[in-house]
Amino acid sequence: MNRKKAPASSLKQSFKARHMTMIALGGSIGTGLFLASGTAIASAGPGGALIAYAAVGLMVYFLMTSLGELATYLPDSGSFSTYASRFVSPAFGFAVGWNFWYNWAVTIAAELAAATVIIKFWFPDSPSFLWSLLFLAIMFGLNILSAKGYGESEYWFAIIKVATVIIFLVIGVMMIFGILGGEAVGFTNFSLGDGPVHGGFFALVGVFMAAGFSFQGTELIGVAAGESENPRKHVPKAIRQVFWRILIFYIFAIFVIGMLIPYTHPSLLQSGVDNIGVSPFTLVFEKAGLAFAASVMNAVILSSVLSAGNSGMYASTRVLYAMAKQGMAPKWLSRLNSRGVPVAALIVTSAVGMLAFLASFFGDGVVYVWLLNASGMCGFINWLAIAVSHYRFRKAYVAQGKDLKDLPFRARWFPFGPIFAFLLCLVAIIGQGNFSGEIDWLTIIATYVSIPLFLSIWFGYRLIKKSRIVPLEECDLSTDAK
């Protein structure tokens, strides 16, 4: 007679080094690179796009080293919420946790809506509802199996993306030197028109915003640290690769696109989930004589979208579970099954993902943009929280007489790193409204609505719970997180 397995008492530490590396690597490669890079070059020129992406890349590098120091010292699936609660205030941690959950739960819906648009490249007359249901079921199935189920799927999703970028770079360099696709192009496209920087200051700021969205997802390594077999070894290894992957996969890719495709090319501005045929990657592949480029890139971008949704489901579920454990969410959300999966939190998060079903009633592209507007600002708020939490953690660590040499991983350039990242995040948040030209107040309201919501949750909790900023000498530096 089979006995029902008892629920697990804690999350399973099942991520191996290869999972952590690919979660970190795959987190920053997605539609922001495959699609948004084309619009960035068209808007600010090849030089402007490089400057904007390099600035955001440097900011993300400092953020990831800050997160690396926190996650190796205190690996916890609550990550941002846990750090913010301990090193800033419980009210701040409460707001950060719900902001993070909302951000990624809505991202699931946004990515599902995008997937239904992409799949219509092959099946134009098929119903959106059925595709949303299918993709949601796949993501739910991968996450309900175990943490390892998510880790394995993300590992292979990341390999597809990495392989595509590497092939693109190799073909692109060969084309630049005239080995493929005809004669060498040199720097002709960089000096075209008013290049290499085009569109002025506001165009550069606009690309800076787009680059910020492109890099969101790299912070998921902080959540995954809570289920790593050896976080003190695996997390630093993954974090150290951030700088190089940003340099190779973003900066180098944008450089290649800028060299090969004029920023005046009309198709670059049309890059979007509903027009894969004009992805800058597709344009370069087709220029190299690869006629099947559109279909291949469509499949790769579909895998990227599903990867983002899969990661969003994993991360938001784990943070919701951790908040329930800390008494910041209903206790029943902390229930685990026998495989260590927080099923209740997963079901609630998936229910929010069902918002994607609205795509079948209101039009795919409209819902996708609406959902992105609803969650876009939240990612920058999460990054601000990382910078503030790390700054306070390091100050508390020293204030309590601890030796910095004992830290398993130490972020370089402190305090410059978190301060620089904090200031650039503020610039990104302020610039989201894009106040140049004619002002669209509805778009501005949709863009900034996350800020008053975040502040309301923060100060509401503070008022009700009489929460206060934790003095540095009283910050909890114990490493007994569950």
Side-chain angles (χ1 to χ4, degrees), residues 30-54:
T31 53
L33 176 59
F34 295 132
L35 297 175
S37 56
T39 305
I41 292 172
S43 300
L50 281 173
I51 292 170
Y53 273 81

Side-chain angles (χ1 to χ4, degrees), residues 414-429:
F414 184 91
F416 173 78
I419 292 175
F420 175 80
F422 178 86
L423 292 176
L424 251 65
C425 275
L426 276 184
V427 170
I429 287 173

Side-chain angles (χ1 to χ4, degrees), residues 118-201:
I118 294 169
I119 203 71
K120 290 187 177 184
F121 178 86
W122 295 295
F123 308 103
D125 299 321
S126 57
S128 300
F129 182 90
L130 292 180
W131 288 116
S132 293
L133 184 62
L134 174 63
F135 293 137
L136 181 62
I138 291 172
M139 292 178 194
F140 184 86
L142 291 171
N143 278 271
I144 197 71
L145 288 173
S146 64
K148 194 172 182 179
Y150 159 73
E152 282 293 333
S153 60
E154 195 56 28
Y155 176 80
W156 290 105
F157 277 138
I159 282 182
I160 293 171
K161 292 186 282 189
V162 169
T164 301
V165 177
I166 291 174
I167 292 170
F168 168 80
L169 293 176
V170 171
I171 290 176
V173 169
M174 292 174 71
M175 291 175 67
I176 289 171
F177 289 102
I179 301 172
L180 269 180
E183 60 184 61
V185 295
F187 283 87
T188 305
N189 291 324
F190 264 71
S191 56
L192 186 70
D194 60 350
V197 178
H198 161 72
F201 175 75

Side-chain angles (χ1 to χ4, degrees), residues 6 10 59 75 105 142 160 174 236 243 257 311 314 359 370 384 414 459-460:
S10 63
M59 175 183 74
L142 291 171
I160 293 171
M174 292 174 71
F243 176 76
I257 295 168
S311 295
Y314 167 80
W370 175 69
L384 276 176
F414 184 91
F459 290 108

Side-chain angles (χ1 to χ4, degrees), residues 426-470:
L426 276 184
V427 170
I429 287 173
I430 294 169
Q432 290 300 310
N434 192 10
F435 296 102
S436 62
E438 186 177 346
I439 296 177
D440 182 350
W441 289 108
L442 285 177
T443 300
I444 289 175
I445 291 171
T447 300
Y448 285 101
V449 69
S450 299
I451 294 179
L453 284 174
F454 177 82
L455 294 175
S456 298
I457 294 170
W458 180 4
F459 290 108
Y461 186 93
R462 181 177 180 178
L463 184 65
I464 294 170
K465 296 288 187 178
K466 303 294 189 291
S467 173
R468 63 190 178 97
I469 294 178
V470 183

Side-chain angles (χ1 to χ4, degrees), residues 245-266:
R245 75 170 185 253
I246 288 173
L247 181 68
I248 294 172
F249 292 116
Y250 271 91
I251 308 303
F252 195 18
I254 288 175
F255 174 76
V256 168
I257 295 168
M259 290 282 282
L260 296 173
I261 308 294
Y263 74 85
T264 54
H265 197 297

Side-chain angles (χ1 to χ4, degrees), residues 214-284:
S214 298
F215 284 116
Q216 287 181 16
T218 52
E219 72 277 4
L220 295 182
I221 191 72
V223 178
E227 292 179 88
S228 170
E229 287 182 345
N230 189 347
R232 297 200 168 190
K233 179 181 177 182
H234 297 164
V235 173
K237 181 181 178 181
I239 293 295
R240 289 188 186 103
Q241 295 174 352
V242 168
F243 176 76
W244 295 109
R245 75 170 185 253
I246 288 173
L247 181 68
I248 294 172
F249 292 116
Y250 271 91
I251 308 303
F252 195 18
I254 288 175
F255 174 76
V256 168
I257 295 168
M259 290 282 282
L260 296 173
I261 308 294
Y263 74 85
T264 54
H265 197 297
S267 293
L268 286 179
L269 276 173
Q270 299 170 27
S271 296
V273 293
D274 56 346
N275 201 346
I276 308 305
V278 291
S279 160
F281 277 60
T282 303
L283 292 175
V284 171

Side-chain angles (χ1 to χ4, degrees), residues 290-304:
L290 303 176
F292 56 88
S295 288
V296 172
M297 280 310 303
N298 201 62
V300 171
I301 293 169
L302 178 61
S303 74
S304 296

